[in-house]
């Protein structure tokens, strides 16, 4: 934050401003500061920006990124850096606020691009939630609807900063009524192991930024993954590989499992072998019956998938080596 005189603002005012900033609202946020030299109140529109960076490690990278923001009147709210040992790599994610009139979005892109070229960056991504369009996604689901319904409610109440362009799944009256009420296109595709309808799915999702598999039980083929060419986020329970096949919760319950969980990961050509984005666990005990066991498992899946989607949209997930991720 910048101030019109050298005198620092009162601590309470600073804390209030930072609390507002930390909400990371997708709207333009207006902050006021006191002009102590003229005893009057001025205002400035500050916008939240996110920048992620990946490049070969070198001295002074943090200084260059910080100076780029500060020299244009911006202020860093949070910065995360990861430099893996003996890898020669640098990863960073920076949250900052700026005046979009004094530092236009296009100029900001150019300024970060100049730094990228100087140090041969592998990845430099800028996102301004208030100015950039939301990510467009399609959600695919099979018979179990808990993750799909939670994702729809997350979109409705703003927890998930996405636009759902369509839903692909089997018929279910509750979901259909919700989709019709909110004008979300719905497509029922009867799929089998022999006919996964992948060409039809590709036509429906071609204008999306990424896909979400909300307990979608078909395995995507290599041809589909290569044709789509964008990220796909999947969710599954963490009872694998011990409890395969139908009704894994019943199998785990009968086996007396004491720890259950959920994993959200990117979809790759290997079955459930993609880089992990988020994982959650919870204890169960002899006091749980099968119904509470299943409910706890489904709740974990909903929470884990929601967190993975938010982390992805907030640029918190970066690829690391071949099968891993950096999650800030």
């Amino acid at each position: 934050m910048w101030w019109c005189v050298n005198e620092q603002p009162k601590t309470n005012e600073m804390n209030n401003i930072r609390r507002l900033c930390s909400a990371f609202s997708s709207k333009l946020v207006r902050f006021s500061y006191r002009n102590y030299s003229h005893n009057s109140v001025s205002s400035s529109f500050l916008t939240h920006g996110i920048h992620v960076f990946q490049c070969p490690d070198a001295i002074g990278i943090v200084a260059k990124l910080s100076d780029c923001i500060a020299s244009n009147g911006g202020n860093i709210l949070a910065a995360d850096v990861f430099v893996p040992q003996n890898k020669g790599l640098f990863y960073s994610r920076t949250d900052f606020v700026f005046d979009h009139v004094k530092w236009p979005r296009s100029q900001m892109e150019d300024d970060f691009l100049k730094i990228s070229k100087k140090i041969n960056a592998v990845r430099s991504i800028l996102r301004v939630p208030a100015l950039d369009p939301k990510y467009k996604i399609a959600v695919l689901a099979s018979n179990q609807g808990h993750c799909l319904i939670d994702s729809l409610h997350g979109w409705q109440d703003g927890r998930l900063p996405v636009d759902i362009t369509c839903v692909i799944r089997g018929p279910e009256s509750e979901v259909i009524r919700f989709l019709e009420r909110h004008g979300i296109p719905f497509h029922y595709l009867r799929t089998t192991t022999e006919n996964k309808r992948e060409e039809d799915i590709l036509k429906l999702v071609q204008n999306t930024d990424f896909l979400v598999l909300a307990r979608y039980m078909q395995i995507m083929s290599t041809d589909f993954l290569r044709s789509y060419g964008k990220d796909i986020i999947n969710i599954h329970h963490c009872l694998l590989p011990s409890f395969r096949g139908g009704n894994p919760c019943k199998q785990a319950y009968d086996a007396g499992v004491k720890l259950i969980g959920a994993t959200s990961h990117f979809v790759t050509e290997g079955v459930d072998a993609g880089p992990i984005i988020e994982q959650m666990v919870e204890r169960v005990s002899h006091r749980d019956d099968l119904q509470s066991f299943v409910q706890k498992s489904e709740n974990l899946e909903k929470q884990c998938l929601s967190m993975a989607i938010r982390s992805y949209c907030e640029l918190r997930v970066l690829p690391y080596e071949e099968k891993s991720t950096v999650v800030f």
Side-chain angles (χ1 to χ4, degrees):
M1 201 70 58
W2 62 95
W3 309 92
C4 47
V5 292
N6 291 330
E7 183 180 349
Q8 291 295 317
K10 295 178 181 179
T11 302
N12 288 340
E13 292 181 6
M14 175 77 83
N15 290 337
N16 288 337
I17 290 173
R18 285 182 174 171
R19 266 197 298 273
L20 288 169
C21 292
S22 65
F24 301 141
S25 170
S26 61
K27 299 178 180 179
L28 292 178
V29 182
R30 185 174 186 175
F31 300 94
S32 295
Y33 61 88
R34 187 174 300 279
N35 185 330
Y36 291 90
S37 60
H38 294 91
N39 195 28
S40 61
V41 176
S42 301
S43 63
S44 178
F45 284 96
L46 298 183
T47 308
H48 171 228
I50 308 168
H51 180 253
V52 295
F53 205 60
Q54 178 185 348
C55 66
D57 190 26
I59 295 174
I61 300 173
V62 173
K64 289 182 174 65
L65 295 173
S66 300
D67 182 66
C68 178
I69 295 170
S71 62
N72 287 284
N75 182 53
I76 294 175
L77 301 177
D80 290 294
V81 172
F82 173 58
V83 181
Q85 190 173 10
N86 301 322
K87 299 289 185 180
L89 299 173
F90 175 94
Y91 297 83
S92 73
R93 179 185 183 276
T94 307
D95 280 295
F96 59 97
V97 289
F98 66 100
D99 187 327
H100 68 281
V101 175
K102 297 178 180 178
W103 196 17
R105 175 72 168 76
S106 57
Q107 181 60 50
M108 183 188 304
E109 194 88 51
D110 291 340
D111 291 340
F112 282 119
L113 182 61
K114 291 176 184 177
I115 299 176
S116 302
K117 291 181 177 180
K118 286 181 181 179
I119 53 183
N120 298 316
V122 177
R123 179 175 283 100
S124 176
I125 305 174
L126 174 67
R127 185 155 183 81
V128 182
L131 304 178
D132 297 346
K134 292 182 178 180
Y135 289 106
K136 295 179 180 179
I137 72 168
V139 184
L140 286 72
S142 293
N143 293 329
Q144 291 180 296
H146 57 283
C147 285
L148 169 59
I149 293 172
D150 185 72
S151 296
L152 292 172
H153 286 299
W155 163 81
Q156 182 185 35
D157 62 27
R159 283 185 292 115
L160 300 181
V162 298
D163 280 332
I164 300 178
T165 62
C166 72
V167 169
I168 301 171
R169 66 153 293 145
E172 184 175 309
S173 58
E174 179 184 353
V175 175
I176 292 175
R177 286 195 296 269
F178 182 97
L179 297 173
E180 290 177 344
R181 188 164 64 248
H182 294 281
I184 299 175
F186 171 87
H187 305 278
Y188 170 51
L189 299 180
R190 187 182 296 277
T191 61
T192 64
T193 304
E194 294 74 27
N195 183 12
K196 300 179 181 180
R197 307 286 297 274
E198 290 187 339
E199 290 185 3
D200 295 321
I201 294 174
L202 279 172
K203 293 177 183 178
L204 295 172
V205 303
Q206 60 182 346
N207 293 322
T208 57
D209 295 305
F210 66 96
L211 300 183
V212 173
L213 306 186
R215 296 293 286 159
Y216 186 68
M217 305 313 292
Q218 294 289 349
I219 298 173
M220 298 298 196
S221 70
T222 298
D223 288 341
F224 179 90
L225 297 178
R226 293 179 179 177
S227 297
Y228 181 64
K230 303 171 190 174
D231 290 325
I232 303 174
I233 296 176
N234 188 32
I235 181 71
H236 65 74
H237 57 76
C238 284
L239 301 175
L240 297 172
S242 299
F243 305 101
R244 294 184 178 276
N247 209 342
C249 280
K250 177 67 164 57
Q251 296 179 53
Y253 176 78
D254 291 341
V257 164
K258 295 296 186 279
L259 196 66
I260 60 174
T263 295
S264 186
H265 62 91
F266 290 113
V267 176
T268 59
E269 295 180 14
V271 179
D272 292 334
I276 293 171
I277 305 171
E278 182 63 57
Q279 288 183 303
M280 295 182 179
V281 296
E282 183 173 344
R283 296 196 66 82
V284 291
S285 74
H286 57 277
R287 292 185 172 86
D288 286 291
D289 58 17
L290 181 58
Q291 182 179 1
S292 65
F293 188 101
V294 172
Q295 185 175 17
K296 287 181 178 180
S297 180
E298 291 183 350
N299 285 341
L300 282 176
E301 291 171 5
K302 293 187 292 187
Q303 296 168 28
C304 189
L305 179 60
S306 178
M307 179 64 75
I309 296 172
R310 289 203 308 272
S311 295
Y312 184 91
C313 293
E314 293 172 358
L315 305 185
R316 297 184 182 278
V317 186
L318 295 173
Y320 175 53
E321 297 188 326
E322 184 178 353
K323 297 182 178 180
S324 188
T325 53
V326 173
V327 182
F328 286 121

